[in-house]
Amino acid sequence: MANEIWTIKRCLEWTKEYLAERGEEHPRLSAEWLLCAATGLARIDLYMRMDETLNAAQLETMHAAVVRRAKGEPLQYITGSTQFRMIDVACAPGVLIPRPETEMLVEEVLNYLDAEVLSPEAAARQRVELPWNDEVEEARKAEAALADERATAERRAANLTAADEAALGSDVLGSRAYAEELADREAEEAAAQAAEAETAEAAEPELDEYGIAIEGADQETVSAQDAAAPAPAEPRTARVLEVGCGTGCISLSLAWERRGHVTCTATDIEPRAIDLATKNRDALGLTADEVAFSLTNLVSSIPHDEWGTFDVLVSNPPYIPTDVMRSLPHEVKDFEPDLALEGGADGLDIFRRLLNAAPYMLRAGGLFACELYEGALDAAAELCRQAGLSDVRIVRDLTDRPRIVRAVVTEPKQRQ
């Protein structure tokens, strides 16, 4: 076998058949993923380079990967990464693998931030008439002079007979033809002057003796225009608190997709999760000011002076009910960490603690959003209502199962 020639095509076909015989649900897709990881090629490149031969290092990597996959280990742990929304996320044993459902949780948070925090409606602005400047006054005078000229021409034309016009010629001042041409020209010039006047009225910089705009000279005009109306609300940076960050995919996606407008504080109790999330942050080029990771239990590390300052508290907490844990697929139950999966008898143990913390962490109107077990959403929504939260909603996932509960804190609490 060592002397055999293993092309990409042959390796792909062999791996597909090998995994299919061992119960792999999507053997060809798994084979493609493993080959991409071993060769560094994109999936499309595999099919464009089918006749290329794998080298010894690639074959060794591929062999080890196929053995791991045949035992049921998740592809994301074997390849070391997965895609989540717009970013690539490194994955490693001991840290929960991001799921497509969690992408929807990010979408819910982004929708809220866009509507309620990042793009508030600007205050109504009333138009204030500006004083006429020299340019506008000159345009008005020119318009008036043109109107006088037109009236004079019309008066003269009214006293001419057709014979007089023929004798004088149609291009002579005072003929009806000229009067009509003058009227058309006047209408065109008046329209152009009106447009220029409106532009000059809106913002006409003051010029020095050399015709250069004087810096700051428009401040008086702007002040006059804004005097009768409040200034529009300034965009601000949204603050997000994530509990149980795992790979960091939620906070990193929020900060990446709204860079410069969202900062995140993310916590986890698992050191391997914090290390991996930090690695993912660095790979994206994000800074600790944009996404800060903290090793702690839930919100224990949040400074008290930051309580009540967050716009969102978001979490994908452990939520699998204890009885359901036994029926999870082999690759989940035997490879992913129980700490990130099991949520107690009804799957809501950690959720209850987060719900208790939400009114202390969030400002008035802040969003509390959690991904939960499909059979626990109704109970979770009722707990939110009992806790005094408003606008409680259940969001369904891509398979039309209830998956996310979101609610708004209307009455924040303060530490006694």
Side-chain angles (χ1 to χ4, degrees):
M1 185 174 180
N3 295 326
E4 294 183 37
I5 296 177
W6 286 86
T7 63
I8 288 177
K9 180 179 180 180
R10 185 178 180 207
C11 191
L12 179 63
E13 294 299 326
W14 185 92
T15 303
K16 180 191 72 173
E17 294 176 6
Y18 182 84
L19 294 177
E21 291 173 357
R22 284 153 180 78
E24 173 68 45
E25 186 175 359
H26 303 288
R28 188 173 190 86
L29 180 62
S30 294
E32 290 172 347
W33 274 39
L34 296 177
L35 260 175
C36 287
T39 62
L41 297 175
R43 285 177 66 192
I44 186 64
D45 292 331
L46 295 179
Y47 290 91
M48 297 178 65
R49 302 165 70 169
M50 281 289 195
D51 294 332
E52 286 193 12
T53 302
L54 300 180
N55 60 39
Q58 292 169 336
L59 277 173
E60 183 178 352
T61 299
M62 189 65 183
H63 177 265
V66 171
V67 170
R68 292 171 66 183
R69 183 57 187 160
K71 293 179 180 179
E73 186 172 351
L75 282 166
Q76 294 89 340
Y77 287 162
I78 300 172
T79 63
S81 68
T82 191
Q83 187 171 18
F84 186 85
R85 290 181 65 88
M86 298 175 63
I87 62 176
D88 289 327
V89 178
C91 300
V95 182
L96 190 70
I97 298 168
R99 277 10 186 230
E101 294 82 1
T102 308
E103 295 186 6
M104 296 186 62
L105 180 61
V106 172
E107 189 72 18
E108 287 297 317
V109 173
L110 287 175
N111 288 340
Y112 167 82
L113 292 177
D114 288 344
E116 303 297 333
V117 181
L118 302 181
S119 302
E121 292 184 1
R125 296 171 63 88
Q126 298 179 356
R127 179 177 174 83
V128 179
E129 292 298 331
L130 299 178
W132 292 104
N133 56 29
D134 292 340
E135 290 78 6
V136 175
E137 185 62 26
E138 289 178 4
R140 292 181 63 187
K141 290 178 178 179
E143 182 181 351
L146 190 58
D148 290 341
E149 184 180 354
R150 177 192 176 193
T152 300
E154 288 178 341
R155 285 196 299 270
R156 291 177 179 175
N159 294 323
L160 295 176
T161 65
D164 292 331
E165 288 182 14
L168 294 171
S170 60
D171 60 342
V172 178
L173 179 62
S175 70
R176 284 190 177 88
Y178 179 79
E180 292 172 357
E181 179 184 344
L182 188 62
D184 292 339
R185 180 160 57 88
E186 182 274 341
E188 293 175 359
E189 294 182 1
Q193 290 167 355
E196 293 175 359
E198 185 174 352
T199 301
E201 177 186 356
E204 188 69 29
E206 183 179 342
L207 306 179
D208 62 16
E209 58 182 316
Y210 301 104
I212 300 175
I214 301 175
E215 184 177 355
D218 60 344
Q219 293 301 314
E220 183 177 349
T221 298
V222 173
S223 299
Q225 185 176 7
D226 291 346
E234 288 292 331
R236 66 180 179 85
T237 300
R239 304 193 72 231
V240 175
L241 171 62
E242 181 192 0
V243 177
C245 64
T247 62
C249 59
I250 294 177
S251 288
L252 295 175
S253 289
L254 293 171
W256 179 260
E257 294 184 38
R258 298 294 184 274
R259 191 161 192 181
H261 301 285
V262 174
T263 62
C264 301
T265 298
T267 71
D268 205 292
I269 198 172
E270 170 58 60
R272 286 176 292 181
I274 295 298
D275 290 343
L276 186 61
T278 302
K279 174 184 175 182
N280 283 324
R281 181 190 67 196
D282 295 345
L284 288 169
L286 294 169
T287 67
D289 289 334
E290 293 173 292
V291 183
F293 293 111
S294 176
L295 178 64
T296 190
N297 184 17
L298 301 182
V299 299
S300 300
S301 66
I302 306 302
H304 288 153
D305 60 359
E306 293 187 23
W307 289 23
T309 67
F310 293 99
D311 298 291
V312 175
L313 194 165
V314 61
S315 181
N316 175 19
Y319 62 64
I320 305 298
T322 303
D323 289 343
V324 178
M325 287 287 295
R326 291 189 288 270
S327 62
L328 291 177
H330 165 59
E331 68 177 73
V332 176
K333 178 177 58 178
D334 295 335
F335 290 94
E336 296 196 67
D338 287 352
L339 183 65
L341 293 169
E342 187 171 356
D346 61 357
L348 296 176
D349 281 3
I350 302 300
F351 173 80
R352 289 185 177 88
R353 296 172 66 183
L354 293 173
L355 178 59
N356 182 63
Y360 293 95
M361 297 295 112
L362 295 172
R363 61 165 177 80
L367 178 72
F368 174 54
C370 283
E371 178 183 332
L372 297 170
Y373 178 65
E374 60 189 83
L377 266 298
D378 288 336
E382 182 58 30
L383 288 172
C384 287
R385 296 186 188 98
Q386 293 175 5
L389 275 64
S390 64
D391 193 19
V392 180
R393 307 181 205 173
I394 294 174
V395 180
R396 307 183 81 84
D397 65 17
L398 299 172
T399 61
D400 200 35
R401 298 175 182 175
R403 185 60 62 193
I404 297 167
V405 64
R406 51 164 292 172
V408 173
V409 170
T410 52
E411 296 182 4
K413 296 180 181 179
Q414 295 183 352
R415 183 170 62 100
Q416 301 298 324

